[in-house]
Amino acid sequence: MISEPELVGGTGFPDGPPPGRQDLAEPPPPKPPRPRAPWRWALGGAAVASALWAGGLYAAFGTGDEMPDLGGYRTDRDPCAVAELDGLRAALGPRDEDPRERHEPMKVVQPALFQWECTVTLKGKTGAYRVNINYVLHRVTDPGPEFEAVREDPQLGAGDPVEGIGTRAYSGGALGEDSLSVLDGQAVITVIVQADDYDETGLPKEGPRLDPAALRTYLVEDTRRLMDALKQ
């Protein structure tokens, strides 16, 4: 289940206490929490919209209509378990197998939509990184128009087309330049690389960056292998 937005200040009111209310003793301000990664909000919000849209269309169409060809994509594959990530591991470091570093996956399972969102942590000499994987399989509707609308939205930052993988693909845009989003028939696979080092204030540290062209090459090759693994 996608989590509900957190309540502000622990008051039980989503926008803080109502006007005029004052507490007798103000507690000291808490230490700034480690920030949530913005990709989770972006992808989670898109998942809710897609789930509602696809679910409504599924109810409208019913089960008697012909279902689209899923191209061999399966729903019993954990993308983080089957992702080899050879290129990214070579560039950023091996997988961190410490159970304290594991991130719980998020799954959405509906008749019209399947989504699996998970994270792999890589640790090397240059620091720690998270590889965030979002796998969405649309089992009723065509995801193409929605995919293009997100890519071309100027308010989100239009992504750059990437050739040679899937039906269509792009990098950059709303998800940042260290990302790749691929439409392949009824499936949408998104892979995002983020630094996982934070300073004492809870803000991300600036660390060494890979050459953008090299990173895109790793993302394309690793995602292509992941797509094959999701069909086996």
Side-chain angles (χ1 to χ4, degrees):
M1 296 292 296
I2 301 174
S3 61
E4 294 291 333
E6 295 179 359
L7 301 180
V8 175
T11 62
F13 299 92
D15 297 318
R21 172 175 172 176
Q22 296 182 353
D23 294 329
L24 296 179
E26 291 286 345
K31 183 178 179 180
R34 177 168 168 163
R36 288 177 181 264
W39 71 273
R40 282 194 175 274
W41 292 110
L43 296 182
V48 171
S50 296
L52 294 175
W53 178 46
L57 287 178
Y58 182 86
F61 289 147
T63 57
D65 296 337
E66 182 178 353
M67 305 297 282
D69 181 6
L70 300 183
Y73 280 100
R74 301 172 57 163
T75 60
D76 59 349
R77 292 288 184 269
D78 176 347
C80 284
V82 301
E84 296 293 338
L85 304 177
D86 292 340
L88 291 174
R89 286 191 294 110
L92 302 177
R95 284 181 184 247
D96 186 353
E97 302 298 342
D98 188 335
R100 294 172 297 179
E101 294 294 329
R102 294 176 185 168
H103 303 265
E104 290 298 321
M106 186 276 289
K107 294 175 69 175
V108 173
V109 182
Q110 294 186 353
L113 184 78
F114 173 85
Q115 180 185 21
W116 191 309
E117 190 175 296
C118 58
T119 304
V120 173
T121 301
L122 305 179
K123 282 193 174 180
K125 294 180 179 180
T126 60
Y129 298 84
R130 284 180 298 165
V131 181
N132 309 307
I133 301 175
N134 189 47
Y135 166 45
V136 184
L137 185 60
H138 297 256
R139 295 187 280 197
V140 172
T141 61
D142 176 11
E146 183 182 5
F147 184 86
E148 282 299 308
V150 173
R151 185 186 75 82
E152 296 176 354
D153 190 334
Q155 294 183 348
L156 298 177
D160 299 320
V162 176
E163 303 294 334
I165 182 170
T167 308
R168 293 192 293 277
Y170 68 90
S171 65
L175 300 179
E177 61 179 347
D178 297 344
S179 67
L180 177 68
S181 190
V182 181
L183 170 69
D184 189 33
Q186 296 296 120
V188 178
I189 298 97
T190 302
V191 181
I192 306 171
V193 179
Q194 288 186 317
D196 199 30
D197 286 334
Y198 297 83
D199 60 24
E200 63 277 2
T201 67
L203 296 176
K205 289 182 179 179
E206 289 292 335
R209 293 176 55 83
L210 291 173
D211 175 79
L215 178 62
R216 181 174 297 187
T217 298
Y218 297 140
L219 281 171
V220 169
E221 293 303 319
D222 288 350
T223 303
R224 181 180 288 113
R225 295 189 183 97
L226 170 60
M227 292 160 61
D228 291 339
L230 291 171
K231 301 177 185 179
Q232 296 177 359

